[in-house]
Amino acid sequence: MSNSQGTSGEDWADARGALWLAELDSYEQMLEPLGIALLDRAALQNGQHIADIGCGGGLTSRLAAHLVAPGGSVHGIDIAPMLMDEATRRAEAAGIGNVRFSTGDAASFMPEGAPFDRLISRLGVMFFADPEAAFTHLRTLLVDGGRADFVVWASPQDNVWMSGARAIVAEHIELPAADPLAPGPFRLADPDATASLLRKAGFSQVDIAAWHGAIPVGGVGSDAAKAAEFSLRAFSFANVLEGAEPGLEETIRAKVTAFFQQFETPEGMAVPAKAWLVRAAA
């Protein structure tokens, strides 16, 4: 979810998925506030059967599994096999028996247990190469009268936790121009376009609400130095620093650290963020 240039399914199944796994705890801590907001709005109930689309390391799936227990279940789906292995391991370690995980491209994958009562996704639906076809398929994963709840990022300008560091890197190294319509974290940043997309895909009663919060970049308890280190190691533009001329990486790191210092709090980093909570009926 952090590639502003667009991320293919192949990337996530390989290099991007491996990078996410390497930074999984930091990412999960950063994104947990959005998962909680998503589940609060979804208001899942005991006995429901849920599909979690683009579930990553499975934190939101595990939280949802508690909400629908004992009679319900959660099926997490992600294209990255290494993340599905880790999600399975973590669920088993936590003794959560009503959640399972499958590797598959949610744009076309038909998981066991479909159709489901509900679909949820924390930042997992912005990377489809053909969004209308993908959401049309997702509609088939829901029972008639079911509901989908997604959370997706708003614009880069509203999410300086990523765009601020990227802008500093771009001052020193040429980065590809961001294509807002390419697969990537901001693909669904326009709520009107997202609503239109969902209606074309067969959904109705589309309702989109803004979420404002703070992101602990680098994880809970992080400081500016750790946030800078994390962003330059884990964000999509980090690879441009490989092979940089001597001293350039240190210069960029110092500037990014200074940028994040304005968001330090006694509890750790709190960088402003905005997302959209999207609800639609099948």
Side-chain angles (χ1 to χ4, degrees):
M1 42 68 41
S2 57
N3 188 339
S4 55
Q5 309 316 314
T7 308
S8 71
E10 290 76 14
D11 291 334
W12 280 110
D14 188 15
R16 288 297 300 166
L19 177 58
W20 193 277
L21 177 61
E23 305 290 347
L24 184 57
D25 288 334
S26 293
Y27 270 125
E28 294 287 37
Q29 291 171 17
M30 284 174 55
L31 302 178
E32 186 173 8
L34 285 95
I36 291 172
L38 168 70
L39 293 175
D40 283 348
R41 194 166 198 248
L44 304 180
Q45 298 177 4
N46 171 35
Q48 291 178 326
H49 298 285
I50 315 297
D52 185 3
I53 307 301
C55 62
L59 174 59
T60 306
S61 302
R62 298 194 302 274
L63 295 174
H66 286 296
L67 296 173
V68 299
S73 65
V74 177
H75 195 148
I77 303 159
D78 200 284
I79 201 168
M82 69 291 287
L83 290 175
M84 294 300 82
D85 289 344
E86 180 62 12
T88 299
R89 188 193 69 78
R90 292 187 177 207
E92 290 175 350
I96 303 173
N98 64 329
V99 62
R100 60 174 297 187
F101 298 94
S102 294
T103 301
D105 183 348
S108 57
F109 181 63
M110 183 59 68
E112 185 177 336
F116 298 91
D117 300 311
R118 306 287 291 276
L119 297 184
I120 60 172
S121 180
R122 185 203 68 185
L123 307 172
V125 294
M126 302 96 75
F127 305 97
F128 298 127
D130 185 340
E132 186 173 340
F135 278 102
T136 299
H137 173 69
L138 291 179
R139 167 65 183 82
T140 71
L141 301 187
L142 276 169
V143 300
D144 289 338
R147 198 175 95 194
D149 283 275
F150 309 131
V151 61
V152 300
W153 292 118
S155 71
Q157 294 77 13
D158 290 317
N159 287 287
V160 296
W161 60 270
M162 186 199 306
S163 61
R166 187 183 191 278
I168 292 169
V169 173
E171 292 174 4
H172 299 274
I173 300 174
E174 185 175 357
L175 298 177
D179 178 359
L181 298 182
F186 303 111
R187 174 65 180 83
L188 301 179
D190 180 339
D192 292 332
T194 298
S196 177
L197 170 67
L198 289 170
R199 293 188 186 105
K200 288 179 182 177
F203 289 92
S204 63
Q205 301 176 40
V206 180
D207 183 75
I208 301 178
W211 174 89
H212 297 271
I215 297 294
V217 178
V220 173
S222 176
D223 59 15
K226 185 177 179 183
E229 175 66 29
F230 175 82
S231 64
L232 295 176
R233 183 178 66 244
F235 289 176
S236 62
F237 48 79
N239 60 0
V240 303
L241 296 177
E242 296 175 4
E245 62 186 69
L248 180 57
E249 183 172 352
E250 289 74 14
T251 297
I252 292 174
R253 189 181 308 279
K255 288 186 175 182
V256 174
T257 301
F259 167 76
F260 279 122
Q261 282 175 342
Q262 64 186 304
F263 305 113
E264 285 184 328
T265 76
E267 291 75 38
M269 296 301 302
V271 190
K274 181 179 178 180
W276 299 111
L277 291 162
V278 182
R279 173 190 297 162

